[in-house]
Amino acid sequence: DYRKFYVREAREKIRSSPSTSKRTRHAARGEKSSPSSLSRLSEISLLSDGELLKTVSQLRGTEKKIEITMLLYLIEVERRGLDLASGYKSLFYYCTRHLKYSESVASRRVRAARCMRDYPAVYEYLSAGKVNICNISAAAKIMTEKNHKSLLDQISGKSTRYVKTLVSSHQPATRIRDMIIPVKVFEKVYVKESGKANEKATGEESGDANSHSFETRGSQGALAGLEDPGGGQRFTTSAGGKNPCTLFGAGAEKGSESEGEGSIRVKEIQKFKLQFAVSPEFMTKYKRVKELMSTRTPRGISFEGAFEALMDEYIERHSPEARTKRREARVAKKKMGSAAKVEKVKSAAKVERAKNEAPAAKTVKAVKVASAARVAKPAAKTDLSSAAPTKGPEELSRFIPQAIKDQVNKRDGGKCAFRGPDGQRCGSKWNIQVDHIIPFALGGSNEPDNLQLLCRRHNQHKALKDFGKKKMHRHSKRDCSGKEHSK
């Protein structure tokens, strides 16, 4: 009997475990000790079939009640904005980083909670066990005020596959979903016998966690008579005790003949597989980019190489760090140019003095007049600048120079600087905005000490705290009316 065997094994493990003597001493003293997993397993294994099934049903009912109650609490957390106040940029990040839900579970909980908030009938169906959170999360995409009751009746008691099919029939896919899939790929490197030891030592010292390398002799790893269509020989290798991996490569024998006897080093590298749909115009532009790059890469370039080159150029042109470097380079070049001009003027003056050691009186007088004129010009400029009216506090501009924005970006690391009460920093890099710590409307300046980076949601959250909901609501209505008027 399997149950009796399991009970006997569990009891023997409990007796032999070192915690048993501790529990015995606690029992002798009259103290309560926390039950271990083995003791709990032994207790459960002693239940009869009927008691076990009854307990499982009761636990499932309790689990459903807890899940529904959790959705209600998540609705209230989002309504009060506590996810933002705690330093997280959304309820999803609060669930994944603070509550430690997985991304899929968190997304289902958030969608189901918002659906329950918008349509109270969802709560009744969930409480009655007619639908589950997964189905509500899937049906939320097509649920509206008009169809939510009929849709709930339609998906009651149905499987998740049925609900997804129903949703796809009401809302056919308008685009291919973008996907990023982590994958491991193998890359081969043919190593000479002489350079093998050095490369092996270097690889051991590097200790890269994302790549594993291993070697196999061409004569030992080659399987006779097995070749790929490209003419390369087939090698069977294994890495890290995993299943053997078959690799094909062209030119193995040719390389060994020309460079002498060597070995094949195979590296396991982390890559990412991308999937997305593009328009014909995109492909035309991509073809043109490849043509422009053909001067540097006559043999052609891969998608990865082309996109990497384009991204490098965009980052170099638009990132705050690159702008700061260019600005510093321009300042340094300007200083060097001015210093060179000063040295040139000094050297010219020395040559002139050497030629005219005994200048005539007229020349001296002309020099004095010229110097007086040079001195008078800055004085006139100073007078004009002092006479210019200064801007009052009411005329200060909200405009923040790009140099100051880049300085703030460098200081905050390009991330949202909002922190919750427990010190949790948002750290989002999405939709970053420059914010006045003391609002500009309340007399805040455009100095870097009064500026910080905030994501859009935390910027709005701070504005609500600074000015209140009524004023921000009037401000948003004024903006909307202005946009409509402009349209």
Side-chain angles (χ1 to χ4, degrees), residues 209-401:
N210 294 329
S211 63
H212 306 281
S213 62
F214 51 94
E215 294 181 0
T216 177
R217 290 282 181 180
S219 57
Q220 296 174 356
L223 299 179
L226 295 177
E227 294 184 349
D228 69 333
Q233 200 160 7
R234 176 172 175 171
F235 298 93
T236 303
T237 58
S238 60
K242 298 179 181 179
N243 295 330
C245 175
T246 303
L247 297 143
F248 294 90
E253 296 178 357
K254 185 177 180 180
S256 61
E257 290 176 2
S258 60
E259 300 178 0
E261 186 180 358
S263 61
I264 302 169
R265 172 163 293 184
V266 185
K267 293 185 178 180
E268 185 181 286
I269 301 175
Q270 177 69 61
K271 293 277 188 178
F272 293 91
K273 180 181 177 182
L274 305 182
Q275 173 184 299
F276 58 96
V278 298
S279 64
E281 293 78 12
F282 179 94
M283 292 306 300
T284 302
K285 294 176 183 178
Y286 175 70
K287 183 179 179 181
R288 179 56 182 157
V289 167
K290 290 181 69 175
E291 291 172 353
L292 294 173
M293 290 182 176
S294 61
T295 305
R296 290 183 295 174
T297 57
R299 296 184 178 180
I301 190 169
S302 62
F303 273 99
E304 182 183 5
F307 289 159
E308 191 170 1
L310 294 174
M311 288 187 290
D312 288 342
E313 184 173 352
Y314 188 89
I315 292 171
E316 180 63 27
R317 288 172 62 89
H318 299 284
S319 68
E321 297 83 3
R323 281 199 300 265
T324 303
K325 286 182 180 180
R326 289 196 296 269
R327 192 177 296 110
E328 292 173 353
R330 286 197 299 268
V331 171
K333 186 177 180 180
K334 190 175 180 181
K335 287 182 179 179
M336 291 178 62
S338 60
K341 286 182 180 180
V342 169
E343 290 294 332
K344 188 176 181 180
V345 170
K346 286 182 179 180
S347 61
K350 286 181 181 180
V351 172
E352 192 67 24
R353 283 197 299 270
K355 288 182 179 180
N356 305 316
E357 292 180 354
K362 292 182 179 181
T363 308
V364 173
K365 187 176 180 180
V367 171
K368 288 182 179 180
V369 171
S371 62
R374 285 196 301 269
V375 173
K377 284 182 180 179
K381 287 183 180 179
T382 305
D383 294 337
L384 289 173
S385 62
S386 61
T390 57
K391 288 187 177 182
E394 67 280 355
E395 298 178 6
L396 292 176
S397 174
R398 286 180 175 270
F399 174 74
I400 303 173

Side-chain angles (χ1 to χ4, degrees), residues 117-191:
R117 176 197 62 195
D118 297 335
Y119 313 110
V122 174
Y123 176 78
E124 300 175 4
Y125 278 76
L126 283 172
S127 301
K130 297 179 180 179
V131 294
N132 55 43
I133 292 177
C134 187
N135 290 350
I136 291 295
S137 173
K141 300 176 183 178
I142 60 173
M143 194 173 292
T144 62
E145 187 66 33
K146 294 182 179 180
N147 71 350
H148 72 279
K149 290 186 178 180
S150 60
L151 184 60
L152 288 172
D153 290 333
Q154 196 171 358
I155 66 175
S156 295
K158 297 296 191 296
S159 64
T160 304
R161 179 177 295 180
Y162 172 85
V163 175
K164 288 183 178 180
T165 305
L166 178 67
V167 170
S168 63
S169 63
H170 282 76
Q171 191 182 48
T174 56
R175 63 182 181 88
I176 297 176
R177 182 183 177 185
D178 296 347
M179 295 181 65
I180 302 176
I181 306 172
V183 294
K184 292 281 188 178
V185 298
F186 290 108
E187 287 189 1
K188 295 187 300 180
V189 179
Y190 296 98
V191 185

